[in-house]
Amino acid sequence: AKPPNPVNKEARQECYKHRDAYFLCVDSGSSSCSEQRKALEAACLPSWIKHFEQRREYLKEKAARIKMIEEQDRLFQQGTKK
């Protein structure tokens, strides 16, 4: 199969559409997202898919760190009010 042309706006939009559909499936907890994954791989360059996956993990970890810091701050504020 011919690789997608990322310079083409329509090809990028198609890639993003399949990226969003795949991650929506994964986030839903579905045990089978293979069709969405195949569509993603057909629409996007492998380097883009790798980037999407790494960015997704980074954003999840960042959100978890922010939540932890906010909780620690809340607990600290409670301790200083006594």
Side-chain angles (χ1 to χ4, degrees):
K2 185 180 175 191
N5 179 2
V7 178
N8 180 316
K9 180 180 178 181
E10 290 77 23
R12 285 194 313 272
Q13 289 174 331
E14 190 71 11
C15 173
Y16 299 148
K17 179 180 86 171
H18 290 294
R19 172 202 62 193
D20 295 344
Y22 173 68
F23 287 134
L24 187 65
C25 179
V26 170
D27 289 341
S28 74
S30 175
S31 60
S32 178
C33 298
S34 59
E35 290 301 315
Q36 290 86 347
R37 180 68 188 202
K38 286 179 191 173
L40 175 69
E41 290 173 352
C44 303
L45 294 170
S47 60
W48 284 38
I49 295 170
K50 181 179 178 182
H51 169 76
F52 296 150
E53 290 172 338
Q54 288 175 338
R55 177 157 172 77
R56 184 170 186 267
E57 280 304 309
Y58 165 76
L59 292 174
K60 281 173 137 181
E61 290 170 7
K62 180 180 174 184
R65 284 193 306 271
I66 289 171
K67 187 176 180 180
M68 181 185 70
I69 290 168
E70 288 172 344
E71 179 65 15
Q72 288 174 345
D73 187 52
R74 185 184 65 76
L75 293 172
F76 176 77
Q77 293 297 328
Q78 285 178 349
T80 60
K81 289 180 182 178
K82 291 181 180 180

